[in-house]
Amino acid sequence: MAVLEVRNLSVDYVADDGTPLHAVADVGFSVEQGRSLGIVGESGCGKTTVMMALLRLLPEEGRIVSGQVLFDGQDVLQYSESQMRQVRWRGISMVFQGAMNALNPVRTVESQIVEALQIHDVVEQRRAARERAGELLQLVGIPPQRGRQYPHQYSGGMRQRAVIAMALACNPRVLIADEPTTALDVMIQAQILELLERLQAELELSLIMVTHDLGMVAETCDDVLVMYGGMVAEKASSDVIFNTPQHPYTRRLLEAFPDVEEPDSDLASIPGNPPRLDDLPAGCRFEPRCECPERGAICAQTAPPLVELEPGHWAACHSVRRVG
Amino acid sequence: MEMRSTPILQVDNLHKYFPIPRHVGDVLARRPRRSVRAVDGVSFTVQRGEILALVGESGSGKTTVGMNVLGLQQPTEGHILFDGYDVTEWSRGHGASLEAADRFLVPLSRRRRVMTLRERAQMIFQDPYESLNPRQTIFDIVAEPLDIHRLTPSRTERRERVRTALETCGLAPADHFWDRFPAELSGGQRQRVVIAGALVLEPELLVADEPVSMLDVSIRAEILNLLRALRRERGITILYTTHDLATAGFFTDRMAVMYLGRIVELGPTVEVLSQPRHPYTRALISVVPVPNPRRRRQRVILEGEIPNPIDIPPGCRFHPRCPEAIPACREMDPRLHPVAPGHDVACLRV
């Protein structure tokens, strides 16, 4: 059974004048125990909004319109706020984008981990909490004695490790990492990816990686969800997404990504911009930028349904057909 | 590619040290002066119309090289010749010591000389969200370099030059964009404005410092294609500094890999990527994510991080992290030496 399953999730942001903007529409996916899912798409496609919605951490103007978020089969959207607090961090934990730069500069790293442990009632006693903090640091490859240092004494890579340690404080079953390696150097990126892979295997974590870096997803994720304009464009196993993608957007995204093993190949950008939330196309949200030769009048009129092309491979495009 | 006898840029034994302020205690205890050796002996040549990648992690000194090339910093040691003129002498204030410089530029003040260099060599910064003044219109942003360099004889010509720069960068028709403010543009369009601001002076050399790292993948290709077109259509020379080997591989002719203030490998891009000789280059290439799970590779992950450039390891500066180091590497500082035509490597074992 899936540890986490999101069904038909729709999220609106309410503008100042009261008009709802449909940021996320009808998004669904599931993650099995110990598996990893990559969520990719351009900035503004709703990746982070989906994650914030499933943790019920949306900003005030955000509103979950419909859908279910099943954690262990229970819909957490029905939970009270105090029940939800038991799910956050203990069940589903998140490494927020840019969190490594949000550590408190005037407190030691260890005391910040201890705080997380105490807030979530994992350990009562301060001494036990400090021991646990040391273990967590060790787990992410930081010598425990460096816990007594301040964030500014850490390099970027170490701060990211510390933030991951914090996210693991309550033994979560699902770890969401939002752009965990953006702004880090290539070698440090590789170290963090390897750390996440190791943790995933050792702790049997289910990992959700939110990123715009297709290469990272290809390296670490079992399954991929491609989002565009707040909707699911395509979802399948990594192998299918990277080798036999069906949605025109997925194909364009792959063509735009440079491959160090094929330096001579051409890069094709995707002209135009993702749709604005206050001006969403009536039909397929990718239609204004789509250059697929098979597109027709229907693309501009009706939004394509998400259909299963073959077992486990879904795409939302009028010009794709079911196999067989 | 247009070739002339004088390379557009020659960097010769460039050193850039930043002294660390000493506390009273350090002075009393007679501790020696220390400095951050950001660039520690770098030499390379760029031909007209060439695109050279300076690749390295943060702390490798690649950005410092770019700053020195543009005269934004004064080298501690070494020379930078731009089209044969020693620009380091200008920025140091020694006056023009080289003959070529004498002939042309003696009547100009030092400030004026640096300005002349700036007209011919421009920089593109990394973050188009921070490098544009939010209160200026696109027109004013692009026209500002013309005003600074007092190059605007008439209003009509000023308009035309701004128009050309914007349209060259794909912001056409220019009238449609120039009354707008940066906040009204997308990330890719903003970076095009940054490039237009550099191009309005019609420079011969562009130093592009991580111009796409802040942009979405879908837009990266469009900016890189634009830079490539500028070289093709205008013969502009580009020094592209980046930590991203994949984008560097896509559009540069040659690649210099930097580690801790030195070039460790320099050669034709395709050759460096397909047959890397230095262990550091090999490790860097191995960790670049490849967009296909069928081609997952064995990563060579180096432990730790680039050491502090205050305490540079003795011998080969890469030896503490090198997976292939031998005892001699601890003592001998390898020089950059040719291993194939136009392909140099600084490693004892190669």
Side-chain angles (χ1 to χ4, degrees), chain A residues 42-43 155 185 191 243 261, chain B residues 58 216 218 292 295 302 305:
Chain A
E42 293 167 86
S43 328
S155 65
D185 267 317
Q191 292 173 355
N243 290 296
E261 292 192 336
Chain B
S58 13
D216 252 323
S218 58
N292 195 328
R295 288 191 273 127
L302 302 174
E305 291 166 27

Side-chain angles (χ1 to χ4, degrees), chain A:
Chain A
M1 192 181 75
V3 180
L4 178 68
E5 187 178 351
V6 172
R7 286 188 193 160
N8 310 86
L9 185 70
S10 298
V11 180
D12 283 358
Y13 284 116
V14 183
D16 290 339
D17 60 2
T19 19
L21 303 172
H22 310 304
V24 168
D26 223 9
V27 168
F29 57 86
S30 66
V31 200
E32 309 274 323
Q33 175 91 35
R35 300 271 290 180
S36 53
L37 170 74
I39 300 190
V40 295
E42 293 167 86
S43 328
C45 73
K47 310 183 288 278
T48 303
T49 300
V50 171
M51 296 303 121
M52 292 306 209
L54 73 86
L55 282 168
R56 291 180 41 198
L57 289 174
L58 284 172
E60 221 174 287
E61 59 278 13
R63 189 192 298 150
I64 297 173
V65 184
S66 61
Q68 290 179 310
V69 176
L70 305 177
F71 177 67
D72 263 344
Q74 300 287 314
D75 186 3
V76 303
L77 298 185
Q78 307 303 325
Y79 279 12
S80 67
E81 183 52 35
S82 67
Q83 282 175 305
M84 194 60 211
R85 262 198 295 264
Q86 295 299 312
V87 174
R88 280 187 218 121
W89 234 252
R90 286 165 177 272
I92 310 170
S93 182
M94 181 155 170
V95 175
F96 294 91
Q97 184 172 9
M100 53 181 271
N101 299 320
L103 288 167
N104 187 338
V106 297
R107 292 183 50 194
T108 64
V109 173
E110 185 190 80
S111 76
Q112 297 183 54
I113 299 178
V114 167
E115 185 184 20
L117 290 165
Q118 288 182 324
I119 285 178
H120 294 279
D121 304 320
V122 182
V123 268
E124 298 264 316
Q125 287 177 324
R126 199 166 165 77
R127 173 185 291 199
R130 287 179 62 176
E131 258 171 41
R132 172 82 181 128
E135 282 167 26
L136 285 165
L137 287 173
Q138 187 121 41
L139 182 68
V140 297
I142 298 176
Q145 60 273 21
R146 292 202 62 178
R148 267 160 258 149
Q149 289 183 320
Y150 292 87
H152 78 269
Q153 291 166 296
Y154 279 29
S155 65
M158 281 182 67
R159 268 181 286 156
Q160 186 66 325
R161 283 169 193 269
V163 170
I164 293 172
M166 235 176 255
L168 296 175
C170 310
N171 295 316
R173 295 176 57 200
V174 180
L175 179 68
I176 301 170
D178 192 359
E179 302 281 4
T181 65
T182 317
L184 295 173
D185 267 317
V186 268
M187 192 56 72
I188 312 298
Q189 276 186 17
Q191 292 173 355
I192 296 293
L193 278 194
E194 186 150 280
L195 172 68
L196 288 172
E197 283 173 8
R198 179 171 64 79
L199 292 172
Q200 196 205 341
E202 273 177 26
L203 310 175
E204 272 196 78
L205 281 173
S206 304
L207 183 66
I208 300 180
M209 188 101 86
V210 180
T211 180
H212 67 266
D213 188 337
L214 293 166
M216 238 175 63
V217 168
E219 298 263 331
T220 49
C221 297
D222 303 314
D223 301 299
V224 183
L225 173 77
V226 181
M227 283 187 67
Y228 186 82
M231 297 181 87
V232 175
E234 188 163 9
K235 61 180 174 180
S237 69
S238 290
D239 192 63
V240 167
I241 290 287
F242 288 96
N243 290 296
T244 51
Q246 293 302 311
H247 197 286
Y249 178 63
T250 314
R251 282 192 238 140
R252 298 302 303 266
L253 211 52
L254 285 169
E255 282 163 7
F257 195 81
D259 186 340
V260 74
E261 292 192 336
E262 289 167 12
D264 283 338
S265 60
D266 274 342
L267 289 187
S269 59
I270 310 176
N273 298 304
R276 293 167 51 120
L277 290 181
D278 57 359
D279 189 17
L280 288 172
C284 169
R285 293 188 180 178
F286 185 58
E287 190 273 336
R289 294 169 86 189
C290 186
E291 288 172 6
C292 173
E294 289 173 50
R295 73 184 192 284
I298 189 172
C299 298
Q301 290 155 6
T302 7
L306 189 65
V307 293
E308 191 165 25
L309 306 175
E310 52 189 323
H313 184 183
W314 299 74
C317 173
H318 288 299
S319 58
V320 296
R321 307 255 181 290
R322 283 189 184 83
V323 175

Side-chain angles (χ1 to χ4, degrees), chain B residues 81-97:
Chain B
L81 303 180
F82 181 79
D83 199 15
Y85 305 122
D86 191 336
V87 297
T88 43
E89 294 297 311
W90 306 348
S91 56
R92 273 201 200 113
H94 293 312
S97 69

